[in-house]
Amino acid sequence: MTEWFNETVFMENLWPEPEKWLLVATLALETFMGVVGNCLVLLVKVMCRGQFCCRYWLPFISLTLSDLGCSLLIISGSLMAVLTGGQRSPWCEVVSLLKFAFITSSIGSIAVLCVQRSIGTASTRGALFVVTATACLAAWVSGVVFGSVPVVYAWIRYDSAEMLCAVFWESSYSDMLVYILCAFSLCIFLPFLLIILCSLLRCYGSNSDDDDDDDTDLSAVTPLLAAFYMLCYTPFVVSELILLGRLDLSPAPDWLRTLSSVMSYLDCGLNPLICCCHQDFREAGLALLWTNRRARSDEPVLTGVTKHLQL
């Protein structure tokens, strides 16, 4: 325990003061965007369901919960790690496990959403609901399983560049190769292929009636969700590919690992903004906020809205 404490204190001085406080400001903003944005999105989805069209509730809820959990636990954990100089066990191992679970649940939820849009059938009940729920649950479980492997084999230690505890390979290239290939093939590459395939099917196999229906449904933002996920996680994938190409097990450059963390955290805050790009969803959220605001006053809500329109 003393060795771990000394290592944690030593890593505090690896960031120069200007860069450290820039990272603190960035992580604080991403934490705020992720927590507040996803809480509001979750509130609107639950309380305003009848005010906008959303035929595919389950993957949207799964994605929102994943982004909210990442913001509450992972991004805030990185913020505290930069401020204090590291992370202590057992929180170190928990963060490493949960980060991969949130990554796989996010891309898995987007993949399920893309598949449902291609099928065009709502999954609110019946066998399709069971299949959708199983697919979303499988994305979470696979992330937990693959995230727990490095914890079990003690491959985890604090990485000041990534600003959280990460997997470090120090002895066996074959172990690293097998683990990364298996984890990426099942948890990342397979959902990615589904997203690409379903997107192509939507582009070349859709008719005008389906397009009109999707324009009014919240799932119309799915292409944006998929595009920004791929953009934000590109540095993470590149850093892992660099690691695969180095037989000496040396990690990717520090700047790339820092960028991969910052960009992946950014995705959690962007998804609520993407949902707000949908007009009906945005209007439902504004109506909810306006109603709550006016309900606290003595003036009836309908009177308040009427006066606001007259102005």
Side-chain angles (χ1 to χ4, degrees):
M1 192 69 183
T2 303
E3 180 182 357
W4 181 269
F5 177 79
N6 289 336
E7 181 183 3
T8 303
V9 173
F10 173 74
M11 289 182 175
E12 185 177 10
N13 298 322
L14 291 182
W15 287 110
E17 284 297 313
E19 296 180 9
K20 174 183 175 180
W21 291 110
L22 177 61
L23 284 173
V24 168
T26 302
L27 294 173
L29 178 61
E30 290 179 333
T31 302
F32 177 80
M33 291 175 57
V35 173
V36 175
N38 285 288
C39 283
L40 290 176
V41 167
L42 197 60
L43 189 64
V44 173
K45 288 177 181 177
V46 173
M47 299 186 63
C48 305
R49 292 186 59 174
Q51 300 181 30
F52 61 95
C53 179
C54 183
R55 293 180 291 173
Y56 317 116
W57 279 95
L58 199 55
F60 268 115
I61 293 295
S62 176
L63 178 62
T64 304
L65 291 176
S66 176
D67 290 338
L68 180 59
C70 184
S71 301
L72 284 172
L73 301 175
I74 308 302
I75 306 179
S76 61
S78 292
L79 175 60
M80 293 303 300
V82 174
L83 291 173
T84 61
Q87 291 176 331
R88 305 280 186 87
S89 182
W91 180 243
C92 178
E93 290 80 3
V94 172
V95 165
S96 177
L97 188 155
L98 290 178
K99 181 185 179 181
F100 195 74
F102 291 137
I103 291 174
T104 59
S105 61
S106 293
I107 191 172
S109 299
I110 295 174
V112 171
L113 186 58
C114 290
V115 171
Q116 283 195 283
R117 290 187 77 229
S118 298
I119 297 174
T121 305
S123 59
T124 55
R125 61 182 66 86
L128 186 56
F129 174 80
V130 176
V131 173
T132 303
T134 302
C136 292
L137 181 61
W140 283 89
V141 172
S142 62
V144 172
V145 170
F146 279 100
S148 62
V149 171
V151 176
V152 173
Y153 287 94
W155 295 337
I156 305 297
R157 66 182 175 91
Y158 179 70
D159 182 8
S160 60
E162 291 192 38
M163 300 169 291
L164 80 169
C165 290
V167 180
F168 271 81
W169 309 96
E170 298 176 345
S171 58
S172 175
Y173 179 83
S174 60
D175 290 345
M176 179 268 294
L177 181 64
V178 171
Y179 174 79
I180 291 182
L181 289 180
C182 290
F184 267 67
S185 298
L186 295 177
C187 300
I188 306 295
F189 190 63
L190 180 59
F192 175 77
L193 285 181
L194 288 175
I195 292 172
I196 297 299
L197 178 61
C198 292
S199 299
L200 293 175
L201 290 176
R202 289 287 305 175
C203 290
Y204 297 103
S206 61
N207 55 56
S208 58
D209 294 335
D210 292 336
D211 291 339
D212 293 338
D213 292 339
D214 282 344
D215 287 341
T216 61
D217 192 84
L218 183 59
S219 62
V221 303
T222 302
L224 284 176
L225 292 174
F228 276 96
Y229 183 93
M230 295 178 188
L231 175 65
C232 291
Y233 278 91
T234 295
F236 172 75
V237 175
V238 171
S239 65
E240 295 300 318
L241 292 177
I242 291 176
L243 177 61
L244 281 177
R246 292 182 171 179
L247 298 179
D248 59 353
L249 301 177
S250 59
D254 291 348
W255 67 267
L256 181 58
R257 303 206 306 277
T258 302
L259 179 64
S260 69
S261 291
V262 172
M263 290 295 293
S264 62
Y265 296 161
L266 180 63
D267 184 64
C268 298
L270 289 178
N271 286 340
L273 298 178
I274 293 173
C275 289
C276 290
C277 292
H278 189 269
Q279 182 178 354
D280 293 341
F281 183 87
R282 182 174 65 252
E283 291 177 354
L286 292 175
L288 177 64
L289 295 176
W290 174 260
T291 301
N292 290 336
R293 176 188 174 188
R294 300 306 300 176
R296 290 192 297 267
S297 66
D298 296 331
E299 187 177 30
V301 175
L302 183 59
T303 304
V305 174
T306 303
K307 290 182 177 180
H308 179 72
L309 293 177
Q310 289 177 351
L311 292 176

